[in-house]
Amino acid sequence: MDPNTLAKAFVDHYYSTFDTNRPGLANLYQDGSMLTFEGQQFQGAQNVVAKLASLPFQQCQHSITTVDCQPSGPAGGMLVFVSGNLQLAGEQHALKFSQMFHLMPTPQGSFYVQNDIFRLNYA
């Protein structure tokens, strides 16, 4: 599978899971994974998912505008940069966001999130 197809499949899976079952994201992270969310850092799958589950909204819908990817290093990793809109339930205007994932291969042939950086984009 070419990197762009893989990145799009990952992005579709990640945001679909985020929007419908945030705790289900846990299997995408490992103990060494790190999330930087609006400048706050969290390490380990349990801490990352706890942060995502604690966000002050239950229902949301991501709509993706762009997905860019690059191969990363000899281990077969991949950088994935996403921009889009985040519509919160009950809010009139969507929030713009950017998110970067550093994906690393697993021995089983799939990928996990080694690094995840999320920022809202304020106009």
Side-chain angles (χ1 to χ4, degrees):
M1 188 179 295
D2 81 280
N4 289 314
T5 303
L6 187 63
K8 177 152 181 16
F10 168 79
V11 166
D12 289 346
H13 174 70
Y14 181 90
Y15 292 108
S16 172
T17 304
F18 189 106
D19 292 350
T20 59
N21 176 27
R22 262 181 259 171
L25 294 171
N27 64 357
L28 295 177
Y29 296 89
Q30 294 187 357
D31 288 342
S33 298
M34 180 168 273
L35 165 68
T36 301
F37 189 92
E38 291 289 309
Q40 292 183 298
Q41 292 187 333
F42 304 88
Q43 185 158 8
Q46 201 170 23
N47 293 329
V48 168
V49 173
K51 171 58 181 174
L52 297 177
S54 75
L55 294 173
F57 53 86
Q58 293 304 310
Q59 295 182 323
C60 66
Q61 180 67 46
H62 289 84
S63 68
I64 305 309
T65 306
T66 63
V67 177
D68 297 301
C69 73
Q70 295 179 351
S72 172
M78 186 169 21
L79 292 174
V80 180
F81 182 77
V82 180
S83 65
N85 297 301
L86 174 59
Q87 183 67 53
L88 302 179
E91 295 292 328
Q92 183 177 357
H93 300 290
L95 302 169
K96 296 192 178 305
F97 76 93
S98 297
Q99 193 161 10
M100 188 281 305
F101 299 97
H102 185 202
L103 304 179
M104 293 300 290
T106 67
Q108 297 79 22
S110 62
F111 285 84
Y112 73 94
V113 179
Q114 176 66 42
N115 303 90
D116 179 353
I117 301 173
F118 176 90
R119 278 281 179 185
L120 290 171
N121 301 329
Y122 297 103

